[in-house]
Amino acid sequence: MADMLKAQRAVAGSRIVGLGHYQPERVLTNAELANMVETSDEWIRTRTGIIERHIARDDETVADMAAAAARAAIADAGLEPDEVGLIVVASTSVMDHSPNVAGRVAAELEMTSPVIIDINTACSGFEHGIAMADAAIRAGQVKRAVVIGSEKLSAITDWTDRTTCVLTADGAGAFVLEGVDDEAEVGVGPTVWGSEPTMSRAVIVEDETGNKFSQDGRMILRWAMSKASGITRSAVEEAGLTMDDIQVFVPHQANLRIIEPLAEQLGLTDRTVVTDVQVSGNTSAASIPLGLSKWWHEGRIPANAPTLLFGFGGGFAYASQVVLTPNRKA
């Protein structure tokens, strides 16, 4: 039987060819939050760095936002939806079980027969999705994939809890990956990923919380300050680079008070450090693609730049990889 099996054609790797994002129109400011819960603009800025965040309409779903971000990324790549063979959606705030979000995106974009996969590793979900899509492309299973992070955290937020409601927000971001045959053109490095099972209760959304988001912020901060730099350094090493090669750093937009000291630990404060959390809040799995796409389309990030991604959170899962930003279209 083994002699009868044929291996699928593999390629050297993949690279990013399109970026897209979507945010709901409604902006919720710190001043408005202060009218809803006992807090203040100063309290929120001091502890999180957040100034405002976007909140979806009641009738706006995770799938709606995912489809909008995917459509934008596919258009940015100069492709039609049916030229993409795999959809991977990362989300932890999905209310419906079937059809999954990727299937809903395929239907919204009127695609013919893509592979559709949802994953939930919370805040690191997008980086897990990049790893899965890159592996599928490398194995020759698909030529192109769109990886999406989409969250409607407002739907799982306890708006009476000032320690969490000041953080959460809604939005989506997406990357299009395309296979390349030439090793010199590979733009997605190996993923360093794993979990801290002893911290599985650090972030929870389950029955005992009324399916509302709850976290141990101090535990997460201690972990980030003690473990995160080692994981990200390993991702850079696995990519065959040094920290001096990294031009852009895009960590999960959990809290500015985590992002800034982590960038300092890594010696990246003189590089481009994406800090979209200030105006977008914490959008979990969407935060990295959302922030990178926004800054890319604003012209704040160069083309072909070695960019370090790092997601961490619920599970307690983490994932990091180095990618090259796309070429600028002429």
Side-chain angles (χ1 to χ4, degrees):
M1 177 64 74
D3 292 337
M4 298 170 61
L5 298 177
K6 289 176 69 174
Q8 290 198 286
R9 179 180 178 274
V11 297
S14 70
R15 67 169 294 125
I16 301 168
V17 294
L19 300 173
H21 62 275
Y22 172 82
Q23 289 184 285
E25 290 183 8
R26 184 191 173 198
V27 174
L28 180 62
T29 66
N30 290 347
E32 291 176 273
L33 265 178
N35 292 325
M36 299 165 56
V37 68
E38 186 181 351
T39 190
S40 68
D41 178 63
E42 181 184 9
W43 191 93
I44 298 170
R45 290 189 191 220
T46 300
R47 288 161 179 79
T48 71
I50 298 172
I51 300 168
E52 60 187 29
R53 71 286 292 149
H54 290 248
I55 303 297
R57 303 185 311 271
D58 289 345
D59 65 346
E60 200 166 24
T61 68
V62 170
D64 292 334
M65 293 185 286
R71 184 181 288 108
I74 292 169
D76 186 51
L79 300 170
E80 294 296 327
D82 264 342
E83 294 181 272
V84 175
L86 169 64
I87 304 172
V88 181
V89 178
S91 182
T92 194
S93 52
V94 179
M95 297 292 108
D96 303 311
H97 297 293
S98 183
N100 66 1
V101 179
R104 293 170 191 262
V105 170
E108 176 65 26
L109 299 185
E110 299 181 336
M111 299 169 74
T112 304
S113 58
V115 179
I116 51 172
I117 300 173
D118 280 12
I119 59 175
N120 177 12
T121 53
C123 305
S124 63
F126 184 80
E127 294 68 55
H128 281 76
I130 289 290
M132 293 171 62
D134 176 63
I137 291 171
R138 285 176 182 270
Q141 299 250 298
V142 295
K143 293 181 179 179
R144 300 182 187 90
V146 59
V147 184
I148 311 162
S150 184
E151 300 282 14
K152 187 176 180 178
L153 295 186
S154 62
I156 57 172
T157 295
D158 179 354
W159 292 100
T160 67
D161 178 9
R162 73 169 183 169
T163 64
T164 56
C165 75
V166 300
L167 297 169
T168 53
D170 305 329
F175 291 4
V176 174
L177 270 59
E178 183 174 73
V180 293
D181 288 315
D182 187 343
E183 287 281 356
E185 296 181 1
V186 170
V188 176
T191 299
V192 173
W193 51 1
S195 65
E196 293 276 359
T198 59
M199 289 180 57
S200 63
R201 305 290 298 171
V203 181
I204 55 175
V205 182
E206 57 186 20
D207 285 344
E208 75 172 47
T209 64
N211 283 319
K212 299 299 182 183
F213 162 61
S214 177
Q215 70 173 8
D216 186 330
R218 291 182 180 179
M219 181 185 292
I220 295 168
L221 177 61
R222 286 195 299 269
W223 181 88
M225 293 302 96
S226 63
K227 299 288 186 69
S229 63
I231 294 164
T232 49
R233 288 181 189 278
S234 293
V236 174
E237 291 172 7
E238 288 292 322
L241 303 175
T242 69
M243 295 306 296
D244 289 340
D245 296 313
I246 300 301
Q247 295 182 33
V248 182
F249 180 38
V250 195
H252 166 43
Q253 304 292 294
N255 187 319
L256 194 62
R257 307 313 168 212
I258 292 177
I259 296 170
E260 290 180 332
L262 179 55
E264 188 171 350
Q265 282 184 2
L266 294 171
L268 296 176
T269 54
D270 61 340
R271 322 296 165 80
T272 300
V273 180
V274 173
T275 53
D276 186 55
V277 66
Q278 294 164 293
V279 294
S280 295
N282 181 340
T283 54
S284 189
S287 73
I288 286 176
L290 171 62
L292 182 56
S293 177
K294 284 176 65 178
W295 283 38
W296 165 260
H297 287 291
E298 290 168 3
R300 301 168 70 176
I301 292 175
N304 293 307
T307 299
L308 176 60
L309 311 181
F310 175 52
F312 61 94
F316 189 86
Y318 57 81
S320 181
Q321 66 261 118
V322 177
V323 301
L324 296 180
T325 53
N327 294 311
R328 289 283 179 191
K329 306 296 189 295

